[in-house]
Amino acid sequence: MMKIAFNQATTMKHSTLKKDLELCEKHGYAYIEIRLDKLKDYLKDNTVEDLKSFFDKSRIKPYAFNALEFINFRDEAGCQQILDDLQFLCRIGDVIHCKTIVVVPSFDIGDFTKTQIKEETVKVLHELANLAEPFGVRLALEFCGYPNCSINTFGQAYEIVTEVNRENVGMVLDCFHFHAMNSRINDLQNADPGKIFVFHIDDCEDLPVGALRDHHRVWPGEGAVDLDGILRTLQEIGYQEMVSIELFRPEYWEWDVEKAIKAGKETTEKAVRKFFEVE
Ligand code: ZN
């Protein structure tokens, strides 16, 4: 049984946490992934208790926070900022019962080998996981399918998460990122489904490897990503937790927010139903 989530990036430009929550509840999403910037905006006029009381009286629940960005190869001030944000999210997550945080690797780090990147990222993930553990919070490493991202394939991210070998450290599988740098379906086939904490669904225009960027994303089923291949493999390895629609398309940001939230649900269900029951 797959539960459908909404990632706030999809309506990033003209919506708010409050609006996304109300419309996602109305359209039957099981979960929301809350963006850190949208949360900070929300808390200017509302309290964490307001957010808790919304979830208490609603069907929709929070699934994850997005995202702690650029966690590896940071200077001292950068590391402190990440730790502060992590602490902030752990405390809020404790109140609203949101226990997963997406963490994103750095870009443009210079000429480090894959071994050096692995050592550095394993070290950082342990530091963050130590802080998150007492809160019962899990960290999900999201590789990004850009040539200049320090971790840009499924296999590379999976190797790092395996090396960390902690219950509260796993990864994000994002179909766009998987496709964009030619991640291997065989690596997914051999993965432990328990290490996939978050599954982002999306599709994209048919550009070559290395040329794809977030703004090329389109609704599931309308692009070049082999979603059937990914979904079939997830079904085969026994993953069945959640699927979150996550686009960053400026064209869709200009849509009426409710229309976009509805389209996200419909296109995701259509893609996923071929292989899974949807709740
Ligand atoms: Zn993603």
Side-chain angles (χ1 to χ4, degrees):
M1 189 72 78
M2 283 279 230
K3 292 187 177 176
I4 298 190
F6 182 77
N7 185 299
Q8 288 198 275
T10 311
T11 50
M12 191 161 81
K13 196 168 166 197
H14 296 302
S15 195
T16 61
L17 178 54
K18 204 172 174 164
K19 191 166 185 177
D20 282 344
L21 281 171
E22 281 161 10
L23 290 169
C24 287
E25 172 75 357
K26 179 179 168 189
H27 289 283
Y29 282 89
Y31 292 125
I32 187 161
E33 287 192 89
I34 298 172
R35 280 181 61 90
L36 179 56
D37 55 350
K38 295 288 179 187
L39 177 64
K40 286 179 173 171
D41 283 347
Y42 175 90
L43 292 173
K44 286 175 191 162
D45 303 312
N46 304 273
T47 65
V48 184
E49 286 305 317
D50 294 334
L51 191 54
K52 177 179 165 21
S53 83
F54 172 85
F55 284 121
D56 284 347
K57 63 181 169 45
S58 303
R59 275 187 43 222
I60 192 167
K61 302 298 172 205
Y63 190 86
F65 294 112
N66 284 241
L68 291 182
E69 287 187 326
F70 317 136
I71 59 162
N72 51 1
F73 298 98
R74 296 298 298 269
D75 61 13
E76 208 177 308
C79 289
Q80 194 53 53
Q81 181 64 51
I82 289 162
L83 288 170
D84 290 348
D85 281 341
L86 176 58
Q87 191 115 45
F88 169 75
L89 291 176
C90 284
R91 275 192 268 111
I92 289 178
D94 213 37
V95 179
I96 65 169
H97 306 295
C98 185
K99 298 290 183 177
T100 301
I101 300 174
V102 174
V103 299
V104 177
S106 297
F107 290 62
D108 294 311
I109 55 163
D111 294 335
F112 288 94
T113 65
K114 282 194 274 182
T115 303
Q116 290 169 323
I117 293 169
K118 182 168 150 183
E119 283 169 6
E120 157 72 6
T121 310
V122 167
K123 182 183 72 124
V124 169
L125 283 170
H126 274 301
E127 284 166 15
L128 301 180
N130 285 340
L131 198 159
E133 207 165 61
F135 294 91
V137 164
R138 309 187 301 173
L139 305 174
L141 177 67
E142 183 164 24
F143 69 94
C144 298
Y146 282 39
N148 61 334
C149 183
S150 57
I151 304 170
N152 59 17
T153 63
F154 182 92
Q156 192 192 359
Y158 189 78
E159 202 183 307
I160 289 167
V161 160
T162 306
E163 178 74 21
V164 172
N165 192 25
R166 289 174 80 131
E167 251 179 51
N168 72 330
V169 176
M171 60 186 292
V172 179
L173 166 58
D174 181 310
C175 297
F176 165 80
H177 291 310
F178 189 92
H179 171 87
M181 285 295 288
N182 270 350
S183 285
R184 290 185 299 249
I185 205 81
N186 196 41
D187 288 336
L188 180 57
Q189 184 77 56
N190 292 326
D192 171 2
K195 282 290 167 200
I196 300 170
F197 290 175
V198 180
F199 173 40
H200 287 164
I201 198 166
D202 34 52
D203 210 329
C204 64
E205 295 172 44
D206 197 12
L207 274 67
V209 170
L212 281 159
R213 297 294 178 266
D214 280 324
H215 65 265
H216 296 121
R217 296 181 185 215
V218 296
W219 300 119
E222 297 183 7
V225 178
D226 179 16
L227 289 181
D228 284 357
I230 294 171
L231 287 161
R232 184 183 300 112
T233 306
L234 285 174
Q235 186 214 45
E236 283 168 6
I237 65 173
Y239 176 86
Q240 48 171 345
E241 181 72 32
M242 59 83 79
V243 50
S244 182
I245 177 78
E246 185 197 39
L247 302 182
F248 290 85
R249 192 172 183 81
E251 179 193 338
Y252 301 158
W253 286 337
E254 298 306 322
W255 285 22
D256 170 65
V257 172
E258 183 162 13
K259 182 183 161 194
I261 284 174
K262 214 163 157 264
K265 180 99 180 329
E266 286 166 2
T267 54
T268 299
E269 273 183 358
K270 193 172 172 220
V272 171
R273 270 193 206 284
K274 289 192 225 169
F275 302 94
F276 295 92
E277 280 183 66
V278 172
E279 187 181 304

